[in-house]
Amino acid sequence: MEIAYVCEWEKRPKSNHCPSIPLVCAWSCRNLIAFTTDLKNEEDDKGLDNAFITNIIRPVDLSHMIHIIDTDHPWDVYSINSGHTEVISCLEWDQSGSKLLSADGDGHIKCWGMTEHLVNSWECTQSSSVDGDPIVSLSWLHNGVKLALHVEKSGSTNFGEKFSRVKFSPSLTLFGGKPMEGWLAVTVSGLVTVSLLKPNGTLLTASESLCRLRGRVALADIAFTGGGNIVVAATDGSSSSPVQFYKVCVSVVNEKCRIDTELLPSLFMRCTTDPVRRDKYPAVTHLKFLTRENSEQVLLCASSQMGSIVECWSLRKEGLPVNNIFQHRSPVVGEKQPMILKWRILSATNDLDRVSAVALPKLPISISNTDLKVASDTKFFPGLGLALAFHDGSIQILHRLSLHTMGVFYGSSGSSQRVGEEPAIKRQRTGGPMLHFKALQFSWTSLALVGVDNHGKLHMLRVSPSMGQMLDMNTLLRHLLFLLEYCMVTGYDWWDVLLHAQPGMVHNLLEKLHEEYMRQNQALQQVLSTRIVAVKASLCKLSSATAARACDFHAKLLLIAISSTLKSLLRPHVLNTPDKSPGDRLSEICAKNTDIDIDKVMINLKTEEFVLDGPPLQSLQQLIQWVGDFVLYLLANLPNQGSIVRPGFGFLRDGASLGMLREMLVMIRIWGLLKPGCLPIYTATSDNQDSMFLLFRLLTKLWLCSRDESHPQDPDETLIDECCLLPSQLLVPSMDWLPINDGVITKIQSKHPLRLQFGKPYTLPGINPNAQVEVFRIPASQKMDHLRCLHLGISPTEDSKACTRCGCVTMLRSPNKTNAMRQWEQRWIKNCLCGGLWRRIPSTLT
């Protein structure tokens, strides 16, 4: 483990940390992190920057605020004045990573959602409460989606074998089997409360006691079973008391929520039965199920002021012993020995330093003994280790089944050692509270760990996929490729995988990822077609040698989206056409017809299917102009392909993309007959120059060279000579490529941790991994809306939003009113074309 970056408050409140205040942190599958701080300041809020602390109510109490960041822009923190009157005790993301639950010490639960789909704008959408009853555990109901990751089949060519869907029932279903949204919480008095979100937006709430004899619940955790039930583990905080388990069933009867509870087998921690340790660890400080979909394995930590001990337990079926009196009774045919469920200890640690936080991995790999052997054989360790943070500032990674130490991070020196190594410099213990983590969370691929310390700083740590073991480059590439494929299939963000991709690995990762993708069946390729382009674009930004290709991949995403939108506007002339849509017929005819004359290709099409009204066509002109400019730019740069790699170079041998451009030129040519004002505008040196005819002819010749991707041909001399003449016939536009990504992922490839401040964007002086691309950009005088393809002027006054992943900028409010453009804008209203999330940016930063 090693630190990637540390982010701290610019002006820290004067009062030091409050040990009694708990601190919570949650990491979503979209790489959003929500956390609280335990900092208090009863003075005036002049020391806080209102640019990143919003809606502050005096006196400032940061422990009642929720801070949300995306991992690539940690300085751009959005701090919500939560309205909680007591300290926030729980934070929980939903399975999609777009909703957040918060609960406090007064029994209030709030559901937060993005305003206008912006990661730095949140609002409370729903709330429920159990007045005066503090919440100790909180969870969303399960939606029934569970994916298994098969490490032993990582060498398979089929994604369906590597990642399989597991049969798992939702906690509650609506009519037709659709999972019902809602949440479940456990209170300190032993109540379980459930809130269900009905389709009409109203909230259905009910509460029930966990058992008849209600008692204090200091710690609790929630897990789910494959049959749709919920299991709650609870303890009163004393290690001498039993850890109780309850089955909770939720149902809706006569429009009312019903909760049924049932007591399950309980357990006593083994340290309380050990004469040596009986009174050594009086308090249970951490109680966690190993995974939220496995209610049969639980992790317990008992502590004192001096140290801690951790135990791992498993629920097993065992035969019930029969009394000797009944041993000789003749058995009934088919009778089986009665079975009972019993908790058995799997492993326990030796005496440890005092544990301050626990983090469990989210990667869905099973943890049987067979998997231990697979991990040993494949050297694939992500998801096998759990993290323990200690009061001395260190972190240990323990195997979550055997609890053997896999890696150690020494916080004070910022370095990590493999097991068995001695730190080079012994750390000196100092008086007073040491810097240590109070909250810890793994990323969704277990390759990163985020911690919030007792001074309110946020630390991002890399967790090596080899857990410190020496791996050859091919093995490491195979592990990273496996996790990138997992992110592609699930839709999870892959930012934490990029933390481990060094610039020298990028080319090999791109090649291998493309090879694996091409081995999938056609249907799966179509589903993942845009996602793999977005992954490739993210990888290319890590290396200066491939930075220009990142522009190509983003242009391809835009090209695919424009093509799909334009084709979707076509309607069949006769409604009962059985076979193919007009868009499919257009693709088929253009693929078969290799004529270089655009008018001859048009003859084979049913032009009545292309008839659209004037206003929709005119509103699409800026998209049509982008297609025309892009074709001209590519052809004009064909003679330069042997020089430095320029943006657009990747299209010159991409037969599928060139074919897509060719189809759109045909479509645009037909629409130009109906509405000449929608045609792309070119500046020609001759008045009688048919620009589209010329571009289609050259584009077709280039497409013929590369349409057979297995045997591409070099463009002939005649084509190159004609392309050389293009700048003398038409004015070649300067394409405005995407802005340079300002995220930290391109700045933390070195092993030196970055020091960041909340509210202050970070720039790395003197080093720009994408500097090569700057040569091909328009001067910074003109700002662009990259998705509407509009010029915004030198100083835009409109509020804008930027993608957290690719940096694409677009206006927040739509200037268009036609249905055709609204249809285009609906494609990226929630996410960018690359799948990244939107964040609001001030007009001065556009």
Side-chain angles (χ1 to χ4, degrees):
M1 284 181 290
E2 59 192 14
I3 295 178
Y5 62 74
V6 178
C7 206
E8 59 185 340
W9 300 102
E10 180 182 5
K11 292 184 180 179
R12 193 169 158 253
K14 292 180 180 179
S15 55
N16 286 327
H17 95 102
C18 229
S20 61
I21 296 179
L23 196 152
V24 286
C25 175
W27 193 330
S28 80
C29 62
R30 305 298 302 277
N31 273 334
L32 295 178
I33 295 175
F35 65 100
T36 62
T37 59
D38 60 359
L39 305 173
K40 279 181 170 288
N41 182 15
E42 300 299 330
E43 300 179 358
D44 192 69
D45 62 340
K46 292 178 182 177
L48 294 174
D49 185 356
N50 284 327
F52 62 96
I53 300 288
T54 58
N55 302 325
I56 289 181
I57 298 176
R58 294 184 178 92
V60 180
D61 189 352
L62 287 178
S63 63
H64 295 171
M65 300 190 78
I66 302 170
H67 312 290
I68 298 177
I69 63 166
D70 79 271
T71 52
D72 208 28
H73 303 83
W75 55 82
D76 189 14
V77 62
Y78 184 75
S79 297
I80 307 168
N81 185 357
S82 65
H84 286 292
T85 55
E86 293 293 331
V87 173
I88 297 169
S89 56
C90 301
L91 290 174
E92 191 75 21
W93 290 100
D94 72 339
Q95 288 88 344
S96 68
S98 58
K99 292 181 181 178
L100 178 70
L101 287 178
S102 63
D104 66 14
D106 198 32
H108 294 280
I109 303 171
K110 296 189 177 187
C111 177
W112 303 89
M114 295 183 197
T115 307
E116 298 180 315
H117 311 289
L118 300 170
V119 297
N120 52 359
S121 182
W122 295 78
E123 62 182 355
C124 180
T125 57
Q126 299 282 354
S127 63
S128 64
S129 66
V130 187
D131 287 337
D133 204 352
I135 306 295
V136 295
S137 186
L138 180 66
S139 176
W140 290 89
L141 297 180
H142 204 285
N143 62 358
V145 177
K146 182 183 178 184
L147 201 71
L149 186 145
H150 303 286
V151 180
E152 69 278 6
K153 295 182 180 178
S154 60
S156 171
T157 59
N158 187 353
F159 285 176
E161 294 179 1
K162 296 179 183 180
F163 321 107
S164 63
R165 181 79 178 264
V166 178
K167 188 177 181 181
F168 208 88
S169 298
S171 303
L172 193 63
T173 55
L174 295 165
F175 178 77
K178 182 182 178 181
M180 192 170 190
E181 273 194 301
W183 59 82
L184 175 139
V186 180
T187 70
V188 75
S189 69
L191 273 182
V192 57
T193 176
V194 175
S195 299
L196 304 175
L197 288 168
K198 296 175 70 174
N200 60 6
T202 58
L203 207 60
L204 203 60
T205 304
S207 299
E208 185 62 58
S209 176
L210 280 172
C211 61
R212 292 181 181 179
L213 298 175
R214 284 173 63 183
R216 178 177 180 270
V217 176
L219 294 172
D221 199 21
I222 300 166
F224 302 90
T225 67
N229 294 323
I230 303 163
V231 177
V232 174
T235 175
D236 63 4
S238 171
S239 61
S240 59
S241 301
V243 179
Q244 302 278 8
F245 295 85
Y246 306 91
K247 182 171 77 171
V248 179
C249 300
V250 182
S251 57
V252 177
V253 180
N254 298 326
E255 294 297 314
K256 291 184 178 179
C257 181
R258 176 178 170 179
I259 303 172
D260 297 303
T261 62
E262 178 186 334
L263 188 63
L264 297 176
S266 57
L267 65 88
F268 282 90
M269 290 192 70
R270 193 176 72 172
C271 64
T272 60
T273 61
D274 185 348
V276 179
R277 296 190 176 104
R278 181 173 298 168
D279 302 318
K280 191 172 183 180
Y281 304 109
V284 179
T285 53
H286 297 89
L287 165 62
K288 301 268 188 186
F289 286 106
L290 286 187
T291 61
R292 64 192 299 267
E293 283 105 1
N294 184 359
S295 60
E296 298 178 354
Q297 289 174 327
V298 68
L299 187 82
L300 296 163
C301 176
S303 303
S304 66
Q305 291 295 324
M306 302 303 295
S308 299
I309 189 169
V310 176
E311 297 178 2
C312 184
W313 290 73
S314 177
L315 187 65
R316 297 177 180 176
K317 282 185 178 180
E318 294 185 358
L320 185 65
V322 181
N323 192 285
N324 291 334
I325 298 175
F326 304 102
Q327 289 285 353
H328 304 292
R329 182 177 65 87
S330 56
V332 179
V333 176
E335 185 180 27
K336 295 181 180 178
Q337 182 184 12
M339 306 292 286
I340 60 168
L341 291 171
K342 198 168 185 179
W343 286 98
R344 291 288 186 187
I345 190 165
L346 284 177
S347 54
T349 63
N350 296 322
D351 295 337
L352 303 169
D353 285 336
R354 189 178 168 199
V355 173
S356 60
V358 177
L360 291 169
K362 302 181 179 76
L363 205 61
I365 59 175
S366 54
I367 45 176
S368 64
N369 290 325
T370 308
D371 298 295
L372 289 176
K373 184 177 185 303
V374 169
S376 177
D377 294 342
T378 61
K379 305 297 182 187
F380 185 86
F381 298 102
L384 286 179
L386 58 91
L388 299 180
F390 298 94
H391 275 262
D392 64 357
S394 65
I395 297 175
Q396 285 190 26
I397 303 288
L398 306 183
H399 193 285
R400 64 180 184 176
L401 192 66
S402 64
L403 297 182
H404 291 154
T405 304
M406 301 171 72
V408 183
F409 168 77
Y410 296 103
S412 59
S413 61
S415 60
S416 62
Q417 275 82 23
R418 294 197 298 274
V419 182
E421 289 187 358
E422 287 294 327
I425 302 174
K426 295 290 186 181
R427 289 168 288 125
Q428 299 294 323
R429 292 183 178 271
T430 59
M434 293 186 66
L435 189 75
H436 64 272
F437 295 102
K438 293 189 70 177
L440 211 58
Q441 278 275 315
F442 268 111
S443 68
W444 282 68
T445 63
S446 303
L447 291 185
L449 195 63
V450 68
V452 184
D453 65 25
N454 52 331
H455 290 173
K457 296 179 184 178
L458 184 138
H459 302 249
M460 180 64 67
L461 291 89
R462 292 185 182 93
V463 180
S464 170
S466 63
M467 284 299 169
Q469 296 194 19
M470 296 302 294
L471 294 182
D472 62 274
M473 184 58 71
N474 287 334
T475 306
L476 181 58
L477 283 173
R478 190 167 64 247
H479 292 171
L480 295 180
L481 180 68
F482 187 51
L483 291 172
L484 284 173
E485 292 168 352
Y486 170 70
C487 291
M488 275 204 322
V489 171
T490 57
Y492 296 159
D493 199 288
W494 49 86
W495 181 89
D496 47 337
V497 183
L498 300 183
L499 283 175
H500 302 271
Q502 296 301 314
M505 303 179 185
V506 170
H507 179 74
N508 287 334
L509 277 174
L510 288 172
E511 295 296 322
K512 292 181 181 296
L513 190 64
H514 183 73
E515 288 175 11
E516 292 296 321
Y517 170 77
M518 294 305 295
R519 290 171 180 164
Q520 310 311 308
N521 60 58
Q522 199 65 35
L524 186 57
Q525 284 188 27
Q526 190 171 354
V527 170
L528 302 177
S529 59
T530 57
R531 210 170 282 170
I532 187 173
V533 177
V535 174
K536 289 178 178 178
S538 299
L539 284 169
C540 285
K541 289 181 179 177
L542 302 180
S543 169
S544 58
T546 55
R549 292 185 64 188
C551 296
D552 290 358
F553 289 124
H554 284 297
K556 188 171 183 177
L557 287 171
L558 185 57
L559 177 63
I560 292 171
I562 292 176
S563 175
S564 300
T565 300
L566 297 185
K567 285 182 180 178
S568 67
L569 297 174
L570 306 179
R571 295 290 181 267
H573 183 61
V574 182
L575 292 179
N576 60 352
T577 49
D579 48 0
K580 296 177 181 177
S581 67
D584 292 335
R585 277 198 293 275
L586 172 66
S587 300
E588 185 179 353
I589 290 172
C590 287
K592 290 179 180 178
N593 194 327
T594 60
D595 205 305
I596 60 174
D597 188 332
I598 190 170
D599 296 321
K600 290 182 180 178
V601 177
M602 285 169 48
I603 294 173
N604 297 313
L605 293 170
K606 297 178 181 178
T607 52
E608 61 269 13
E609 295 178 342
F610 293 80
V611 175
L612 294 179
D613 295 332
L617 281 178
Q618 191 61 48
S619 67
L620 295 169
Q621 201 279 332
Q622 63 262 31
L623 300 183
I624 292 173
Q625 183 69 48
W626 183 88
V627 173
D629 287 348
F630 192 64
V631 172
L632 176 54
Y633 174 86
L634 290 181
L635 293 172
N637 278 279
L638 179 61
N640 300 324
Q641 61 176 320
S643 61
I644 186 173
V645 176
R646 297 168 176 266
F649 176 78
F651 282 90
L652 301 179
R653 290 182 177 273
D654 186 352
S657 297
L658 294 175
M660 207 181 297
L661 287 168
R662 192 166 170 266
E663 294 164 17
M664 282 192 280
L665 286 184
V666 173
M667 229 184 325
I668 294 167
R669 180 77 162 189
I670 297 174
W671 286 342
L673 299 176
L674 305 172
K675 182 76 174 177
C678 76
L679 287 171
I681 299 170
Y682 297 105
T683 304
T685 56
S686 173
D687 293 337
N688 58 359
Q689 174 70 59
D690 189 343
S691 305
M692 289 204 64
F693 183 90
L694 172 64
L695 293 178
F696 184 84
R697 181 167 61 81
L698 298 179
L699 181 65
T700 301
K701 289 183 177 181
L702 181 59
W703 169 69
L704 290 173
C705 296
S706 56
R707 65 172 177 166
D708 185 1
E709 293 188 5
S710 57
H711 299 90
Q713 301 173 6
D714 291 328
D716 56 30
E717 293 295 330
T718 307
L719 175 59
I720 293 176
D721 290 342
E722 289 187 89
C723 290
C724 284
L725 294 174
L726 263 182
S728 63
Q729 296 170 307
L730 299 171
L731 181 64
V732 180
S734 298
M735 299 300 295
D736 188 71
W737 303 99
L738 285 180
I740 299 304
N741 192 305
D742 61 345
V744 297
I745 193 63
T746 58
K747 304 176 178 71
I748 53 179
Q749 299 307 308
S750 67
K751 300 300 181 182
H752 301 292
L754 297 184
R755 299 289 172 178
L756 309 172
Q757 285 186 348
F758 291 119
K760 281 192 172 182
Y762 181 82
T763 54
L764 198 61
I767 300 176
N768 186 354
N770 293 336
Q772 202 182 78
V773 187
E774 287 286 356
V775 181
F776 312 109
R777 291 180 50 75
I778 287 179
S781 57
Q782 283 285 338
K783 311 297 181 185
M784 278 289 295
D785 183 322
H786 296 102
L787 294 184
R788 294 186 179 91
C789 303
L790 293 173
H791 289 274
L792 301 179
I794 296 174
S795 300
T797 56
E798 290 288 329
D799 285 337
S800 300
K801 57 185 180 181
C803 174
T804 57
R805 184 181 288 164
C806 69
C808 172
V809 175
T810 187
M811 284 186 289
L812 193 58
R813 306 273 180 264
S814 171
N816 303 297
K817 295 183 179 179
T818 62
N819 290 332
M821 277 308 290
R822 285 182 178 176
Q823 182 179 340
W824 164 244
E825 290 170 357
Q826 285 296 317
R827 287 184 172 270
W828 39 265
I829 190 168
K830 290 185 179 180
N831 303 294
C832 178
L833 295 178
C834 71
L837 297 168
W838 293 115
R839 62 187 180 105
R840 184 197 297 264
I841 56 174
S843 56
T844 54
L845 297 179
T846 308

